[in-house]
Amino acid sequence: MNLRSPLDRYRLLAYIVGTALVILVFIGIPLQVWGHNDAVEKIVGTIHGFLYIVYVVLSIELAIRYRFSLLRAALSLLAGLVPIMTFVAERKNTAYVRARRATPGGTPLDVPTSADLN
């Protein structure tokens, strides 16, 4: 995985954010409600919240670079808030970006990123 690629950065964060949200919703919240133990919820909730912000930034970068429709961009952003949806959005966005790369007119915009600053 080449983390200089916007798609690879987005994919990595989609998996991490999705996994953190699944742990939070299916383990942390039930432990908090029925087990009266909020340690998992506090730790994983904080991690998910921080990484969701990074996921949003990377989603916006991908949407601008590959000219996503407004609906596709909005759904990509909201996917980080629904358990398991980041995995679905990642698959669909990866297929979309790879298809755009394969077409002659589908080259990405030349937008500088933080990886280009080195």
Side-chain angles (χ1 to χ4, degrees):
M1 185 174 271
N2 176 13
L3 292 182
R4 289 185 174 265
S5 162
L7 179 61
D8 288 341
R9 287 192 301 267
Y10 165 78
R11 292 183 69 201
L12 177 66
L13 257 297
Y15 286 125
I16 293 171
V17 168
T19 302
L21 187 59
V22 166
I23 291 170
L24 179 64
V25 169
F26 295 115
I27 297 172
I29 301 297
L31 272 176
Q32 179 188 20
V33 173
W34 295 305
H36 306 289
N37 183 352
D38 62 349
V40 173
E41 184 267 334
K42 282 185 178 180
I43 294 168
V44 177
T46 303
I47 291 169
H48 170 72
F50 173 74
L51 291 177
Y52 178 71
I53 294 168
V54 178
Y55 171 81
V56 166
V57 170
L58 293 176
S59 293
I60 291 170
E61 176 190 11
L62 198 69
I64 290 170
R65 189 172 282 249
Y66 289 97
R67 300 179 182 129
F68 284 8
S69 68
L70 191 56
L71 179 63
R72 178 180 289 276
L75 290 175
S76 293
L77 296 176
L78 293 174
L81 300 175
V82 180
I84 303 173
M85 286 309 295
T86 56
F87 305 116
V88 174
E90 182 274 328
R91 282 286 143 204
K92 292 193 177 286
N93 288 336
T94 299
Y96 177 81
V97 167
R98 288 183 176 159
R100 292 239 352 163
R101 283 182 183 167
T103 61
T107 57
L109 289 174
D110 188 20
V111 179
T113 64
S114 59
D116 296 332
L117 297 177
N118 293 333

